[in-house]
Amino acid sequence: MDGKPVDDAVARLVADLLERYGERVDAIVLYGSYLRGVADAMPDLYVLLNGWPAQPRLHRWLGAALPPNVLNLHFDNPRSGRAKVSVLTMAQLKRAVTGDRHPYFWARFAQPCQRLHCRNQDVAAQLDFVAVRSVERLMDEVPPNPAPETSAAFWMAVFARTYAAEFRSEGQRKRAALYAANQGHYDRLFQARQASATSQRGSQAWPLALAVGKLLSLLRIVKSALTFEDAVDYMLWKVERHSGVRLDVTERQRRYPLLFAWPLAWRLYRLKAFR
C-alpha cells in the first residue's frame, strides 16, 4: 500500500468520511479499478473503524453481524458520479483475513491498495499485517492443484476462483485487466511462491469456501438494500457496465427492493449477467 497523492475529488470524499465517522476512523484505503486508472470507474474505498458508531442502530447491528456495510455516496467527479464505500472495524478485518474460509476480504486486500488516511504507526503496522496475510492466503489456498506454471495463467486461475466465490458480473477481460495493471507486483508474488515448496499445496477445502462465499455474497446483496442508497439502480448499473445486460426497473422495485426486486435477480441470472 502506498501513499501517493490522489485527485481533489477523492480528497474531498476522504474529508467527508472523516467528518462523518470522526475519531472512530483508523484508516481509509482505496483499491480497485479507479486506483488502476479506469476512466469510467467509481472509487472503491474501505473505511476501517476502531468501533461502530452507536447510530444508526440498524447499521451498527448489520455491520457487526455481516461486515462490511456498503454505502453508495455522491462523488463530485464526472467520471462516475458516485463512490462505493465499505465500512467495517479494523478488528473485523484482521479476523477475516486470518480466519475466514471464504476469500471476500483477503482477495481484495491482496491487491495493490492506496492508503488515503492512516491514524498512526500502529494502524500502519496492522494494515501491513492485513496485506501480507491476505497475499499468503490467496496464493496458498485458492490455486487449483496442480497450479498453472506461468504467472499469467496462475493469476487468471486465482482470480477466476475468487470471482466464482461471489456473485460477480465481471468476465475474463476484467481479470486480465487486473493482472495487466499490476503485472510486476503479481509476477514477483508468483516467483516467490515458486521458490517456496511449502507454499505450493493449494487448499483441499476450496469447494466449501466456494459454497460459503456464494451464500455470504447473497446475504450481503440482501443486506445492501438496507444500507445502500439507490441500491437497485446501482446494482443494475454495475451489471450493465460489466456484462452489457440492461434491465428496466419500476418505482416499486426501487422503493421496496426486498419485496419486489427478486424478479430482476432471476432475469439477470437467466441472461447470464452474473456468475
Side-chain angles (χ1 to χ4, degrees), residues 25-29 46-49 90 117-119 123 127:
V25 179
D26 270 351
I28 300 177
V29 176
Y46 267 83
V47 177
L48 304 173
L49 307 177
M90 179 69 83
H117 171 82
C118 187
R119 177 188 294 275
V123 171
L127 288 174

Side-chain angles (χ1 to χ4, degrees), residues 24 49-54 59-60 62-64 67-69 87-89 92:
R24 293 187 180 274
L49 307 177
N50 52 55
W52 285 102
H59 284 213
R60 175 165 56 90
L62 292 172
N69 282 350
V87 185
L88 73 161
T89 68
Q92 287 176 312

Side-chain angles (χ1 to χ4, degrees), residues 36 138-139 142-144 146-165 170-183 186-187 190 206:
R36 297 193 297 272
L138 190 69
M139 294 194 298
V142 177
E149 296 183 357
T150 67
S151 179
F154 174 86
W155 288 108
M156 289 303 97
V158 168
F159 295 153
R161 281 191 150 200
T162 58
Y163 277 38
E170 299 93 328
Q172 184 175 354
R173 286 194 301 175
K174 172 65 180 293
R175 300 193 293 269
L178 178 59
Y179 170 73
N182 295 284
Q183 183 174 347
Y186 290 117
D187 287 352
F190 176 76
W206 179 251

Side-chain angles (χ1 to χ4, degrees), residues 14-189:
V14 170
D16 290 344
L17 291 168
L18 290 172
E19 182 178 357
R20 175 186 290 234
Y21 292 105
E23 291 299 313
R24 293 187 180 274
V25 179
D26 270 351
I28 300 177
V29 176
L30 174 69
Y31 88 105
S33 300
Y34 191 93
L35 179 59
R36 297 193 297 272
V38 177
D40 62 343
M42 64 188 300
D44 209 329
L45 288 82
Y46 267 83
V47 177
L48 304 173
L49 307 177
N50 52 55
W52 285 102
Q55 300 295 333
R57 185 176 300 176
L58 177 62
H59 284 213
R60 175 165 56 90
W61 290 343
L62 292 172
L66 183 63
N69 282 350
V70 181
L71 310 177
N72 176 25
L73 301 182
H74 173 72
F75 179 61
D76 185 20
N77 188 303
R79 289 167 61 179
S80 61
R82 65 181 83 199
K84 177 185 172 187
V85 178
S86 301
V87 185
L88 73 161
T89 68
M90 179 69 83
Q92 287 176 312
L93 178 60
K94 289 193 295 183
R95 285 197 300 269
V97 302
T98 301
D100 281 2
R101 301 313 309 167
H102 53 90
Y104 181 91
F105 287 108
W106 34 277
R108 286 164 170 78
F109 280 86
Q111 299 178 31
C113 300
Q114 180 177 342
R115 297 174 187 177
L116 306 180
H117 171 82
C118 187
R119 177 188 294 275
N120 53 38
Q121 288 300 313
D122 178 64
V123 171
Q126 293 180 68
L127 288 174
D128 289 340
F129 165 80
V130 166
V132 170
R133 188 70 184 111
S134 296
V135 167
E136 290 173 347
R137 297 197 67 190
L138 190 69
M139 294 194 298
D140 288 354
E141 301 182 32
V142 177
N145 194 4
E149 296 183 357
T150 67
S151 179
F154 174 86
W155 288 108
M156 289 303 97
V158 168
F159 295 153
R161 281 191 150 200
T162 58
Y163 277 38
E166 302 178 38
F167 289 107
R168 303 288 294 260
S169 58
E170 299 93 328
Q172 184 175 354
R173 286 194 301 175
K174 172 65 180 293
R175 300 193 293 269
L178 178 59
Y179 170 73
N182 295 284
Q183 183 174 347
H185 167 77
Y186 290 117
D187 287 352
R188 286 190 295 273
L189 293 178

Side-chain angles (χ1 to χ4, degrees), residues 235-249:
M235 291 178 186
L236 292 180
W237 168 80
K238 186 172 183 180
V239 167
E240 181 183 359
R241 180 170 174 265
H242 291 295
S243 71
V245 175
R246 177 183 176 85
L247 293 181
D248 294 323
V249 59

